[in-house]
Amino acid sequence: MADELLQQAQELLEGQIDFEGQKQTELISSVLLAVSALFAFILGFALQNIYVTLWTGLGGAALAFLVVVPPYPFYNKSPERWLPSGSGMAGSGIEIDGKKIN
């Protein structure tokens, strides 16, 4: 029981996300930063206050940071399957254009 909890905690803290998760985080961060910058500009312009603009933009950047940076499990839904290290596959039996490469 304790080993299972330790393994789950280790997987959560390792920070692994797959390629699709990377694509998702890039899109989410771009959209959040653009929307928060636009909102900060409009709010600051309406209030004629640069501090409101800066703090609103900073809040949007902090929100994007909290949404994107932690390795949430939904960013690792389709991990790649890699060959195990030392599997003896390196260079053995590869055939290119009918020629075997060792």
Side-chain angles (χ1 to χ4, degrees):
M1 176 85 173
D3 290 336
E4 292 175 11
L5 289 174
L6 182 62
Q7 184 179 6
Q8 289 176 352
Q10 182 181 7
E11 288 176 3
L12 183 65
L13 295 175
E14 260 182 12
Q16 294 183 357
I17 63 173
D18 59 9
F19 294 121
E20 292 299 319
Q22 290 177 8
K23 194 187 311 183
Q24 279 181 328
T25 57
E26 184 180 354
L27 178 66
I28 290 170
S29 66
S30 297
V31 168
L32 278 176
L33 290 174
V35 168
S36 68
L38 183 64
F39 179 70
F41 177 75
I42 291 171
L43 186 64
F45 186 76
L47 298 176
Q48 292 293 305
N49 192 341
I50 191 69
Y51 292 114
V52 171
T53 304
L54 293 175
W55 284 107
T56 306
L58 183 63
L63 175 67
F65 179 85
L66 290 175
V67 170
V68 172
V69 171
Y72 297 115
F74 58 86
Y75 290 141
N76 196 18
K77 284 187 177 178
S78 55
E80 294 290 326
R81 304 290 178 225
W82 300 94
L83 289 176
S85 63
S87 63
M89 295 296 295
S92 63
I94 298 175
E95 196 172 311
I96 299 176
D97 294 332
K99 297 178 185 176
K100 200 167 205 176
I101 298 175
N102 294 327

